[in-house]
Each structure stands twice: as C-alpha cells, then as structure tokens.
C-alpha cells in the first residue's frame, strides 16, 4: 500500500467512516456499539453488531473447542466433526442443508482453529430467522450416521495427505512445535492418519454431545438488522437447547526462558527467518499497543524491511504480527530472503532493528501514518462482514471483544507507549527463532547418512558422548550428574540445587558481571537449574540427577566451554550470592507447600523413597536455612567430580573434536570416589497420609515401588505407562468427572519399578477418587491390549521424542540419559525400531508384573 499524505489520509478516513456508518463524526464512528452483548438462560452468548449500511447479515457461531483442546487419542476430531455437522440432521439431509441455504441466496461454511470451531452463514436480512434455524439445527441436532463418518474420515484423510505434501509444511510445523513447546498448541491441525482412521461414531458422538452445547458457544451477528427483532430470532432458534457444555483443559505454553535459535533445511526455495516472542494477555491494554507496533515494524518499507536492506540484504517480504490465542499471545516476526542469504545475520539484524527503531527521528510520523492506515483497513474491512467476523474470532475467544472490534483502539497511543511495550516484550527478551535454508539434492543425501557418534572415558572417570549433526551451526553441551539427592549430606537436602544456582554468580577468575557480559556477547543460552513457579520451568528437574544446559553457535564453542568449565570448577560461593539463592529457594519451597498437588506429591515421594532420596530437590525450609558456605564448598568438592559427571555434546563438529574440547577443559576435575547408591525400598504394605491446606482444590497422590526392573522390559514399560495414563484420564476425568488434572506413570527410579499418580480434584470427591484409582489399577492389570492402541501409543511416544529432539540441546539430554541409565539405545531410530518389535502380550505382561496389587501408598490433601 502506498503511503498517503497525512491530510489526504485524514480526509479519506473521514469519508469512509461517514459512508460506511452514516455518521458525520468519525470519532463516534470508530467505536462499534457492543451494547448488544447478552447471554441466554442456557448460557448461549450473543454479540449483536448492527450495520446500517447494508441489507446483508452474517452470523458466526464459535464453539469453544478446537485443535488445542483435543487429547492425543482424539487428534483431528474437531475438524472431523466440523465436516459431520453438515452431513444431515433429523429434519435436513446433507444436500437439503446446502439447497435450503442456496435457495435463500445465502452461503454457509465451517472452519476449525486452535481454540474454536466456527460456523458461518451469510444472507439477506429478510431470511435471518431461517438462516439461524439452519445453523441451530446442524449445531444441536446432527445425526452423525455411520456412513457419514466413513465418508468424512476419507475426506479428512485426503486433506491431511494434501496438507503434508504442501511446500513449507515442515517448517511451519517445526516452528509451531518450538514456539509452543510442552503445551496443547505445539502440534495442532487436521490431526494424523492414525487417530482419524481410528475415529468411530460412538467416540465422535460423545465428543459432539459434550462440546456442542449452547453454554460452550458464542454467536456474532453483524449486518443490516434491527437489534430487537434479531435478538428475538436468536432466542427462538437457540434458546431451548440444553446446557452442559464441556471443554478439555488445555496446557498453556510457557514464556521462553532463554534465546533459542534452530536451523532447518527446507523444501522451500528461499531463506526464511521466523522469530517468536511472548506477547501480552489479549485482554490487556498492551495488546493494542503491540498491534500498532507490529504495523510500524512490519510490511514493505517498514522498520524491519529497511533494516535488512540497510544491511545489504534483499528481503522479499517482511512481516510482524500479534498472534492471539485464548489467554495468551505471541509476537511474531518473519522475513523471506533469496537463496544464499545468511539467515543468522538476518536474525541478528531483525533483533537489533527493534531497539534501533525507538531512536528514529521520524518514528512519531511513522506511528501516525501506520495508525491511519490500520484504521482505514479496519473500517473498509467491515464491509466484508463474514471475513471481518472470522478475523475477529480470536479476540472474542480471548475474552476481549470490545478491544478487538474497536477501530479506535489505537487512538491516543504515543511513541513512548510503543517504546515501553517494546522494552517490556521484545528488547533483550527471550525468543524462539527458526532459520530455514533451501536443501539441495546433495544436502538431502548427506542428511540421510547415518549419524556419526562417539563415546570416551576421560582419565578422571568423566564419561563423554558426542554426536555430529551435519550442517548444523549449533553447539549444544549437556552436563549431567550421575547422582543427586542420594549423595546429599544428611540434613542438607536441596544443597545440589543450591550449588547449581550459584555457579553463574561468580568464580575465582570472573565476577558475576563478567560472566553475564560474556554470556551476552557470545550469545550463549545457559541453564543451571529449573524454576517450579513457571509452567514447565522444571520439566527436566529430577531427584536422581542435576544438569547444566549450554547452547551457542558453533563458532563460539571454545569460548563458551572455557566459561562453563570455570563456573563448574571454580565457583566463588560469596556470602551475598548465597543469601540471594537461599531467599529464592525458600520462595520455591513456600510456593510448593502452598500447592495441594505439590504437597501431596512431596509427601508421597518421602514415603516411597526415603531414606535413599530426600524430600524434595529444593530441600526443606529447615535444610535450606541451615546450609553454610562451608557446606557448599565441601559438597562442591565431592559432587562435581569425574566419576559423577556425564557430558553429552551435539553439534556440527566431528565427534572426536567435540570430545577433545570436553577433555581439554574438564579432565582436570578431580576423579572423586566411586559412589554406590542402594535401591529405593520396596513398598511392602499399604499406607495412607492426610494433610490439611484448607483450599477449595484438593489433591490425591498415590504410588508404589513394585519390584526390581528387568532392563529388557523398559521399552514395554514406557508404552504401558502411556496407555495407563490414557486409561486413568479417560475413565476418571472424562467419564466420571473426578479430576480437573490427572497424570499417571509406570516407570523406574534406578533399578526399581515405580507406579505414581497425581490427581487434582475437589475435596468432596477425594474418597471416590481413591476408590476409582484402585479400581482402575486392577482393571489395567487384567485388561487386554489391542494392537491399534499399541501402534497409536508407539507412534505418539516416538513423535513426542522426535519433536523434543529437534533441538540439539534436547538431543544431548537424551544421549546423557542413555549413558546414565545404561540403555541399549539413544532414543533415536534405534529406540523406534525396538518399540516396533513390541507385541500386545509384552505390554500386558509388564502391566501385570509392575503395577501394584495391594501395597499402595496414598496421600490426600484437603
């Protein structure tokens, strides 16, 4: 769009507003009247937006269920159901629905997104009542016949195949997985061939009956209607539908904790750079500011486009946008450049362009012009009613309809407002970046070559494993201890975590400021401990081992490893830093003790693992309060030793070169004593513990150490664990409604097999929950495993592992686990091949062998 002269653009906006809205005052015209928001007695929400300039009406019903609310076993159900609601009702056939709408001169369609499924009908206002009748009929009365399910499955399967063959789909899926890692939004879309092929009428009908209820819907009605008449028609069509809508709880993505950059060879012909930051809550005032900032930064001749061109690059397109979801947002920047461009350099230019933009002399003028352009786009966009409503749907689902619909929402925003928002969300903030480059035939062949991997034992007993990723520019080093809580001194639980948090706070050779400056300069991502107060912040935290994760570009590997080795070998452990960390740990402990679920899990762990393992990795208030500098110095000397460390490296380097780098800097660590840790005790009798917190949410934790683990059973145990978790979730949460959160696991702690379960529920359901857990354990012990379920679980497990190991640092983590646990595989293709040899009988056998019969430890928190 050409930039308009300021006076001319003011006049254009005023004219468009007057024509579209029939008002002389553009300031009044910019705000859509949302006074028609109301809710029927059955919970059906209505948002009326009369538009006097047209005789057309558009009705969009949003059902609050979408890709993100699907379980692993029901991936694709939302989209499959979208097809099926058009397949016929008791009163209308599939053809009858389309014919009736067509005969009215209307249009009807549906679409599925992460947070919702939408159903749209457009037509003349004289036919509003009939159009709403059709919409209500398909939403509440679809028959979902067996033949229709078969036909819809084939249609959706073909859509999936077509989507997977689309150029660039691998890049899009990978960026989504990385940006929303660990959440319900990491792998959304049409589903997969396994789950869609397995979908049956009973499952789909149950899904339909549970989610397609009026109290789970919102109607957006826009166009040339009289509000009183339209409201009466809506009440007549939708008001009698029974309530009872349910949606599956989604897992929100955690905000990025560090800068992470990933590389990918793509089938696209260009170089592409994608960057994602955590954005504001869509309901906050910051959302409108970030929308305007995106307009200033993105687009042809925008700030980012100019920055790339100023660096000698030739961008084909540059964009910035605020992506809205229910309860959160992401600020996205992307650029497409010709093949041969340097994506790493482009990423650097884009990240540096934002702070540089705040210093531009013409920034105020740019903001004003961008605002005018965006307002004009909003006003003109309202003429296309159906597209307009579809574009606003995310705002409605996010709970911010007024802000999202108001074209005047950017009025009054200043350069200082944008500067503050940029500093709050973008400048020096963690982000996730994906850099993709075209993959030539030669590079494709090289990527298919067998992975090069090597292992070594250093003179001090430290074990190293290194893997080469050809073409990768990332250097990832993962340091893992063989033991953690089992070697903490009596009364000093939490000291390992305490020590880890002190490592970056100064050494005898470098001050804290020196370390922080070096990390920034080198672009190093370093993590020495988790954070239990943020979602997935302690995903890799374990009672059995501690870790350090380091990532950087390969060119900086030597300097980064030099820095890391100094932190590990020579921590200063200053009193001021010790008190800072102590205060932080006490905050963690208080936070966990105030959570019903965390408290229940802690009591269970103490009952199962004591005295071999301590109460919690973060310690107790008493133990953390009593740790001294002398304690930390003594523990450091015995903890960071060769015999207690495993270092795994994944990079583009040859393995021998990676191993040599580790040897150069870590071989001087003391060897330390050989550590023998006894197994955790077997659970020999049932026990029950009860705690009182007085909160509206209760918790149940249950578990048992059931026997010695045969290592050959580990793959079958992993599959059994997944099937077990699905069973508990579907039976106790979905069918019986006994839990708002639930997780079950059948795994191992060292050489012993362990069953654990955690459940969040209301206090009045705790007894029923205990009975349900015991009943499901016994049912699982006796149940047959079907091949289809086994195949689905294997594919799900392998898929999750593959997604996690897209990043080199996560791949290094799993290599370390394979060494620590003495596994015959490394969680790659070798693991997949082993899993594919499993039979249903293998899984049934481990279920019966390792699930508890009677000796169950239960903890209830009320």
């Amino acid at each position: 769009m050409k930039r308009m002269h300021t006076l001319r653009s003011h006049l254009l906006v005023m004219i468009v507003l007057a024509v579209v809205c029939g008002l002389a005052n553009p300031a009044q015209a910019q705000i859509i009247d949302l006074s028609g928001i109301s809710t029927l007695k059955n919970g059906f929400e209505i948002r009326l937006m009369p538009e006097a300039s047209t005789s057309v009406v558009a009705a969009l019903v949003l059902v609050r269920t979408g890709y993100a609310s699907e379980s692993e076993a029901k991936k694709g159900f939302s989209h499959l159901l979208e097809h099926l609601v058009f397949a016929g009702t008791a009163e209308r056939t599939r053809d009858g629905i389309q014919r009736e709408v067509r005969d009215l001169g209307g249009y009807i369609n549906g679409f599925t997104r992460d947070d919702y499924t939408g159903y749209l009908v457009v037509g003349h206002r004289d036919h509003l009542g009939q159009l709403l009748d059709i919409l209500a009929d398909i939403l509440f009365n679809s028959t979902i016949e067996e033949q229709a399910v078969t036909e819809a499955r084939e249609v959706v399967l073909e859509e999936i195949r077509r989507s997977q063959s689309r150029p660039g789909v691998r890049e899009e899926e990978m960026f989504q997985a990385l940006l929303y890692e660990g959440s319900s939004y990491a792998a959304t879309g049409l589903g997969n061939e396994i789950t869609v092929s397995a979908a049956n009428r009973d499952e789909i009908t149950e899904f339909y009956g549970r989610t397609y209820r009026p109290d789970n819907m919102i109607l957006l009605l826009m166009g040339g209607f009289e509000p009183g008449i339209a409201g009466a028609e809506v009440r007549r069509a939708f008001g009698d539908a029974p309530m009872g809508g349910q949606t599956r709880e989604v897992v929100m993505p955690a905000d990025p904790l560090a800068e992470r950059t990933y590389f990918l060879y793509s089938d696209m012909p260009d170089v592409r750079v994608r960057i994602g930051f955590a954005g504001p809550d869509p309901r906050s005032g910051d959302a409108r500011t970030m929308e305007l900032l995106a307009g200033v930064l993105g687009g042809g001749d925008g700030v980012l486009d100019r920055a790339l061109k100023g660096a000698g690059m030739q961008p084909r397109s540059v964009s910035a946008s605020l992506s809205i979801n229910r309860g959160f947002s992401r600020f996205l920047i992307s650029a497409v450049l010709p093949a041969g461009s340097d994506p790493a350099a482009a990423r650097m230019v884009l990240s540096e362009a934002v702070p540089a933009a705040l210093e531009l002399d013409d920034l105020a003028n740019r903001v004003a012009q961008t605002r005018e352009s965006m307002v004009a786009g909003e006003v003109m966009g309202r003429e296309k009613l159906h597209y307009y409503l579809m574009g606003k749907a995310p705002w409605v689902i996010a709970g911010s309809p007024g802000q999202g619909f108001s074209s005047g929402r950017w009025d009054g925003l200043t350069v200082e407002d944008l500067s503050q928002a940029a500093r709050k969300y973008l400048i020096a903030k963690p982000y996730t970046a994906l850099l993709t480059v075209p993959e030539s035939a030669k590079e494709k062949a090289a990527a298919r070559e067998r992975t090069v991997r090597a292992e070594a034992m250093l003179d001090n007993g430290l074990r190293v494993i290194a893997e080469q990723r050809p073409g990768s520019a990332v250097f990832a080093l993962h340091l893992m201890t063989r033991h953690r809580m089992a070697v903490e001194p009596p009364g000093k639980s939490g000291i390992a975590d305490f020590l880890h948090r002190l490592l970056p706070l100064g050494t005898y050779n470098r001050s804290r400021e020196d370390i922080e400056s070096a990390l920034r300069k080198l672009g190093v991502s370093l993590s020495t401990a988790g954070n239990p107060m943020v979602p997935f912040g302690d995903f890799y935290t374990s009672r059995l081992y501690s870790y350090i994760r380091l990532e950087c570009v390969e060119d900086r590997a030597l300097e980064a490893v030099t820095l890391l080795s100094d932190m590990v070998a020579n921590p200063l452990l200053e009193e001021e830093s010790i008190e800072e960390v102590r205060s932080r740990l006490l905050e963690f402990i208080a936070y966990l003790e105030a959570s019903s679920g965390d408290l229940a899990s802690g009591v269970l762990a103490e009952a199962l693992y004591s005295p071999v393992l301590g109460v919690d990795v973060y310690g107790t208030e008493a133990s953390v309060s009593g740790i001294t500098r002398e304690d930390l110095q003594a523990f450091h000397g015995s903890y960071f030793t060769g015999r207690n460390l495993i270092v795994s490296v994944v990079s583009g380097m040859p393995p021998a070169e990676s191993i040599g780098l580790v040897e150069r800097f870590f071989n001087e660590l003391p060897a330390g004593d050989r550590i023998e840790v006894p197994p955790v005790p077997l659970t020999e009798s049932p026990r029950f513990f009860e705690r009182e917190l007085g909160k509206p949410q209760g918790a149940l934790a249950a578990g048992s150490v059931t026997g010695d683990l045969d290592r050959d059973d580990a793959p079958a145990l992993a599959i059994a664990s997944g099937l077990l978790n699905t069973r508990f979730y579907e039976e106790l949460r979905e069918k019986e409604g006994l839990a708002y959160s639930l997780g079950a696991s059948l795994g191992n702690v060292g050489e012993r097999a362990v069953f654990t379960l955690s459940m969040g529920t209301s206090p009045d359901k705790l007894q029923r929950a205990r009975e349900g857990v015991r009943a499901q354990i016994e049912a699982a012990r006796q149940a047959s495993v079907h091949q289809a379920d086994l195949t689905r679980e294997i594919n799900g497990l392998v898929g999750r592992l593959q997604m996690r190991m897209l990043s080199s640092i996560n791949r290094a983590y799993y290599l370390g686990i394979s060494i620590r646990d003495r596994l015959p595989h490394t969680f790659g293709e070798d693991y997949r091949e082993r899993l594919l040899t499993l039979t249903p009988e293998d899984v049934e056998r481990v279920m019966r062998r390792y699930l508890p019969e009677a000796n169950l430890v239960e903890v209830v928190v009320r």
Side-chain angles (χ1 to χ4, degrees):
M1 179 184 294
K2 294 183 179 180
R3 187 179 299 132
M4 299 179 289
H5 186 276
T6 302
L7 177 59
R8 178 186 171 194
S9 62
H10 274 304
L11 290 172
L12 175 61
V13 172
M14 291 173 66
I15 292 170
V16 170
L17 288 169
V19 170
V20 173
C21 303
L23 296 172
N25 186 340
Q28 294 176 358
Q30 288 177 353
I31 305 297
I32 293 178
D33 179 13
L34 292 175
S35 60
I37 298 175
S38 61
T39 304
L40 302 185
K41 291 181 179 180
N42 61 0
F44 188 75
E45 289 186 58
I46 308 165
R47 306 185 191 279
L48 300 180
M49 290 160 282
E51 188 69 49
S53 62
T54 180
S55 60
V56 175
V57 291
L60 173 62
V61 174
L62 302 175
V63 187
R64 289 189 182 91
T65 186
Y67 299 132
S69 56
E70 297 168 340
S71 66
E72 288 295 325
K74 291 181 171 58
K75 286 293 184 185
F77 272 41
S78 297
H79 182 66
L80 189 60
L81 186 53
E82 177 212 317
H83 282 264
L84 285 166
V85 299
F86 289 101
T89 70
E91 295 185 4
R92 294 175 171 92
T93 64
R94 182 202 305 270
D95 293 339
I97 294 168
Q98 299 295 334
R99 183 172 56 253
E100 189 174 351
V101 173
R102 186 174 62 248
D103 289 350
L104 295 173
Y107 168 82
I108 190 169
N109 210 338
F111 58 96
T112 311
R113 299 292 185 265
D114 285 356
D115 290 318
Y116 55 90
T117 306
Y119 295 90
L120 178 74
V121 64
V122 183
H124 193 276
R125 62 187 168 202
D126 289 350
H127 306 308
L128 176 61
Q130 294 163 276
L131 294 171
L132 292 179
D133 283 342
I134 296 169
L135 206 51
D137 191 28
I138 66 172
L139 288 173
F140 300 129
N141 303 312
S142 289
T143 52
I144 310 182
E145 300 293 343
E146 191 69 57
Q147 181 61 31
V149 172
T150 301
E151 294 171 356
R153 273 200 306 257
E154 291 306 312
V155 171
V156 174
L157 286 171
E158 183 56 36
E159 288 181 341
I160 291 171
R161 297 179 190 117
R162 187 167 62 247
S163 174
Q164 290 302 312
S165 64
R166 179 171 49 84
V169 67
R170 183 177 170 221
E171 171 196 359
E172 294 171 8
E173 290 179 348
M174 182 173 177
F175 186 61
Q176 179 180 1
L178 298 171
L179 189 63
Y180 303 114
E181 182 179 8
S183 78
S184 301
Y185 297 83
T188 59
L190 299 175
N192 58 68
E193 293 193 46
I194 295 173
T195 56
V196 172
S197 296
N200 60 58
R201 182 178 183 273
D202 289 344
E203 290 180 315
I204 297 170
T205 301
E206 185 276 333
F207 185 77
Y208 173 62
R210 176 165 47 84
T211 56
Y212 278 55
R213 295 296 185 92
D215 48 330
N216 203 30
M217 297 177 176
I218 306 173
L219 168 67
L220 307 179
L221 184 59
M222 186 175 185
F225 55 79
E226 196 282 313
I229 296 175
E233 292 286 7
V234 171
R235 286 190 292 274
R236 180 190 56 77
F238 292 92
D240 293 333
M243 300 176 67
Q246 302 173 28
T247 54
R248 182 175 178 270
E249 183 179 343
V250 301
V251 179
M252 307 280 277
D255 290 346
L257 299 177
E259 175 189 316
R260 296 184 182 277
T261 300
Y262 303 85
F263 292 82
L264 177 71
Y265 288 113
S266 169
D267 55 2
M268 298 297 286
D270 358 73
V271 169
R272 299 183 176 229
V273 179
R274 295 189 180 205
I275 305 173
F277 296 83
D281 187 317
R283 296 163 295 185
S284 73
D286 286 344
R288 65 192 181 114
T289 310
M290 295 301 287
E291 271 192 303
L292 183 56
L293 180 59
V296 172
L297 294 176
D301 202 39
V303 168
L304 300 178
D305 182 75
R306 284 193 171 192
L308 289 170
K309 290 175 179 174
M313 301 182 186
Q314 298 176 317
R316 291 174 174 168
S317 66
V318 183
S319 67
S321 62
L322 187 67
S323 178
I324 300 297
N325 286 97
R326 183 161 46 197
F328 71 94
S329 70
R330 289 291 182 264
F331 191 89
L332 307 178
I333 294 173
S334 66
V336 179
L337 303 104
S341 303
D342 183 345
R347 174 189 62 84
M348 188 64 68
V349 171
L350 291 170
S351 62
E352 293 176 350
V354 178
L358 304 184
E359 308 299 326
L360 293 175
D361 293 336
D362 66 340
L363 182 58
N365 185 50
R366 281 179 172 271
V367 171
Q369 291 176 338
T370 300
R371 181 191 294 113
E372 291 172 357
S373 177
M374 291 171 66
V375 168
E378 283 272 314
V379 173
M380 290 183 286
R382 285 174 54 190
E383 292 185 331
K384 299 176 181 179
L385 302 180
H386 53 310
Y387 289 126
Y388 184 80
L389 292 181
M390 291 171 67
K392 297 304 178 183
W395 289 99
V396 176
I397 293 295
S400 184
Q403 179 171 303
F405 277 99
S406 169
S407 58
R409 60 187 181 272
W410 307 296
D411 290 353
L413 291 176
T414 65
V415 168
E416 181 56 30
D417 293 328
L418 268 65
S419 298
Q420 289 179 5
R423 295 187 181 95
K424 185 175 181 179
Y425 296 103
L426 305 181
I427 298 174
K429 298 300 180 184
Y431 61 76
T432 299
L434 178 63
L435 315 181
T436 61
V437 296
E439 183 177 26
S440 68
K442 181 179 178 180
E443 287 167 337
K444 289 180 180 179
R448 287 192 292 267
E449 291 180 1
R450 188 171 183 83
T451 300
V452 181
R453 187 185 308 121
E455 299 179 30
M457 178 80 78
L458 304 189
D459 295 339
N460 61 358
L462 187 149
R463 189 75 175 271
V464 188
I465 181 169
E467 184 174 282
Q468 182 180 18
R469 280 188 164 180
S472 173
V474 176
F475 177 87
L477 182 150
H478 191 281
L479 183 148
M480 173 184 290
T481 62
R482 292 182 181 272
H483 305 287
R484 182 178 186 152
M485 299 193 74
V487 297
E488 291 184 327
K492 305 295 179 183
S493 63
I495 194 171
D497 195 81
F498 208 136
L499 179 60
H500 268 259
R501 294 179 191 279
L502 285 164
L503 297 182
L505 304 187
T507 73
Y508 284 100
N509 302 309
R510 294 173 173 85
S511 68
R512 177 177 185 170
E513 291 74 21
D514 291 339
I515 293 173
E516 291 174 349
S517 175
L519 292 173
R520 286 194 301 270
K521 179 181 177 182
L522 298 173
V524 171
S525 172
L526 177 73
S527 174
T528 62
N531 183 348
M533 297 177 69
V534 300
F536 308 105
D538 57 353
F539 182 81
Y540 294 100
T541 302
S542 170
R543 298 170 183 276
L544 302 178
Y545 53 81
S546 58
Y547 66 85
I548 299 173
R549 296 160 63 93
L550 179 146
E551 300 168 90
C552 64
V553 295
E554 189 177 299
D555 292 344
R556 300 295 193 180
L558 176 60
E559 297 160 284
V561 175
T562 302
L563 186 63
L564 176 63
S565 64
D566 186 33
M567 286 187 276
V568 171
N570 308 302
L572 189 55
L573 308 178
E574 286 186 311
E575 290 289 356
E576 182 178 349
S577 298
I578 289 172
E579 293 310 313
E580 177 185 335
V581 171
R582 190 194 316 278
S583 175
R584 186 63 169 151
L585 284 175
L586 291 174
E587 287 180 11
F588 290 165
I589 293 166
Y591 172 81
L592 294 171
E593 289 180 346
S595 163
S596 301
D598 290 319
L599 178 58
S601 296
V603 174
L604 176 67
E606 183 177 10
L608 291 180
Y609 309 137
S610 180
V612 177
L613 301 178
V615 177
D616 195 274
V617 292
Y618 303 109
T620 66
E621 181 180 359
S623 67
V624 169
S625 297
I627 292 173
T628 66
R629 184 170 190 257
E630 290 72 25
D631 294 330
L632 290 160
Q633 289 172 327
F635 184 70
H636 172 265
S638 63
Y639 192 62
F640 285 117
T641 61
R643 288 194 175 104
N644 196 39
L645 294 181
I646 299 166
V647 174
S648 47
V649 177
V650 175
S651 72
M653 297 180 180
E657 188 175 336
S658 297
I659 291 173
L661 187 60
V662 174
E663 183 176 23
R664 175 178 172 184
F665 289 100
F666 287 92
N667 202 35
E668 297 304 314
L669 289 173
D673 297 329
R674 295 188 183 278
I675 302 171
E676 297 293 335
V677 176
V680 294
L682 295 174
T683 305
E684 297 180 341
S685 62
R687 285 183 287 170
F688 177 73
F689 301 87
E690 190 168 13
R691 298 288 187 270
E692 292 286 343
L693 272 186
K695 294 198 171 187
Q697 293 85 27
L700 168 65
S704 182
V705 181
T706 58
D708 293 323
L709 175 67
D710 184 336
R711 285 288 170 181
D712 291 338
D713 286 340
L717 198 71
I719 297 303
S721 181
L723 293 173
L724 192 69
N725 188 63
T726 300
R727 166 182 282 276
F728 274 92
Y729 185 90
E730 291 182 349
E731 296 296 328
L732 300 184
R733 186 186 189 280
E734 298 292 298
K735 291 185 180 179
E736 297 190 34
L738 292 177
Y740 57 83
S741 64
L742 191 151
S745 171
L746 188 59
N748 68 288
V749 173
E751 302 302 318
R752 292 274 164 86
V754 179
F755 164 78
T756 56
L757 173 140
S758 61
M759 177 189 294
T761 187
S762 57
D764 62 309
K765 295 180 180 178
L766 282 167
Q767 183 56 39
R768 287 176 55 208
R770 291 178 62 196
E771 294 167 358
V773 167
R774 290 193 289 267
Q776 289 306 318
I777 290 174
E778 184 56 31
R781 285 174 52 80
Q782 304 302 324
S784 298
V785 174
H786 301 291
Q787 183 62 51
D789 294 329
L790 173 60
T791 301
R792 183 175 64 242
E793 190 58 40
I794 290 173
N795 289 336
L797 176 58
V798 170
R800 290 189 295 273
L801 284 170
Q802 288 176 335
M803 295 298 283
R804 290 171 191 161
M805 290 190 290
L806 287 172
S807 68
S808 295
I809 190 61
N810 283 351
R811 176 62 182 147
Y813 162 77
Y814 282 104
L815 288 175
I817 289 291
S818 70
I819 295 296
R820 185 191 177 278
D821 291 349
R822 304 189 303 279
L823 299 175
H825 60 79
T826 62
F827 295 97
E829 279 299 311
D830 50 0
Y831 189 43
R832 178 176 179 273
E833 291 171 4
R834 174 68 183 89
L835 290 172
L836 289 174
T837 66
L838 294 175
T839 66
E841 292 73 26
D842 293 328
V843 181
E844 291 169 2
R845 178 178 53 78
V846 299
M847 287 273 206
R848 296 185 181 110
R849 178 175 179 179
Y850 297 115
L851 275 174
E853 293 187 61
N855 298 334
L856 191 66
V857 178
E858 297 170 288
V859 180
V860 162
V861 176
R862 300 184 187 277

